[in-house]
Amino acid sequence: LAQFFNATRIEDPEERINTMRANHEITMATGARAGSSYLKGMMAEQLIEQDNLVEAENWLNDAFELIENQGERLWEGEVLRIQALLMCRQDESQESVLTALQRSVETSVAIGNRPFALRAALSFYDQDHGSDKASDMIQQILLSYAVPDTTIEYQRAVGIVEGAVSTVSDSKAS
């Protein structure tokens, strides 16, 4: 399993995909199934980045099937976020993509998975071009953290909210 995650750092896209695919097959051959919907989602995200949208969709369908059959709801929000990225690449409407990302945020929040909720909210922010709704969504998720986080997503979210807050304060001062 560690080899699967290490493969995500391989520079060459083709080698990265092939190594992830091979390590996923090894993991599945051992009978390990916990978290496999997340692994399939990660694989789909890599395939989306390489414009292999058909295979990405297949991996996402497998991930959703596992979520339903095994009840792996912990990963559902992240898989929904990746599905929204695929929809964007498939030129689905902006409204459809934002609705899917909203569902991803709501699903992650409902199960208490703040990191995935934040990641989905950041994707919403990117897709909605920094809207106030997206900034508010990010701020609400940040407020749910008991202590600050050191992840790149958390730091980016803080920067967005601080920028939005200072902009709102600046506009009130004028």
Side-chain angles (χ1 to χ4, degrees):
L1 192 56
Q3 292 176 350
F4 178 89
F5 288 106
N6 287 337
T8 63
R9 297 187 197 118
I10 296 173
E11 294 279 331
D12 179 63
E14 187 174 330
E15 182 183 351
R16 179 174 55 246
I17 295 284
N18 289 335
T19 304
M20 287 176 70
R21 188 179 286 117
N23 285 308
H24 183 267
E25 288 173 11
I26 291 167
T27 300
M28 294 298 103
T30 66
R33 294 293 182 267
S36 55
S37 59
Y38 178 59
L39 300 180
K40 288 179 179 292
M42 288 180 65
M43 187 68 187
E45 188 169 26
Q46 293 294 319
L47 290 162
I48 292 166
E49 289 177 13
Q50 299 307 313
D51 286 323
N52 189 340
L53 305 184
V54 172
E55 189 177 357
E57 188 168 20
N58 291 335
W59 282 84
L60 280 174
N61 289 337
D62 289 348
F64 283 119
E65 185 176 319
L66 285 169
I67 288 168
E68 287 303 315
N69 294 338
Q70 296 181 3
E72 285 195 336
R73 299 285 174 215
L74 179 63
W75 317 111
E76 186 175 15
E78 179 65 356
V79 176
L80 286 166
R81 183 190 69 82
I82 295 165
Q83 181 184 45
L85 297 178
L86 176 64
M87 291 168 64
C88 185
R89 292 295 276 277
Q90 292 173 325
D91 295 324
E92 299 243 356
S93 74
Q94 175 78 354
E95 182 179 337
S96 296
V97 172
L98 292 175
T99 299
L101 287 169
Q102 178 76 37
R103 182 170 170 228
S104 172
V105 170
E106 291 168 355
T107 300
S108 296
V109 166
I111 61 170
N113 195 329
R114 285 183 299 278
F116 286 158
L118 188 59
R119 188 178 291 170
L122 289 167
S123 292
F124 189 101
Y125 180 88
D126 293 339
Q127 291 298 316
D128 206 25
H129 311 291
S131 70
D132 289 340
K133 178 180 179 178
S135 296
D136 290 345
M137 188 184 305
I138 291 167
Q139 185 170 22
Q140 289 305 308
I141 295 167
L142 287 176
L143 290 172
S144 72
Y145 277 78
V147 295
D149 197 354
T150 58
T151 63
I152 292 169
E153 288 96 351
Y154 185 90
Q155 299 304 316
R156 179 173 176 233
V158 168
I160 288 168
V161 169
E162 287 177 352
V165 170
S166 66
T167 303
V168 170
S169 299
D170 292 346
S171 65
K172 288 181 181 178
S174 19

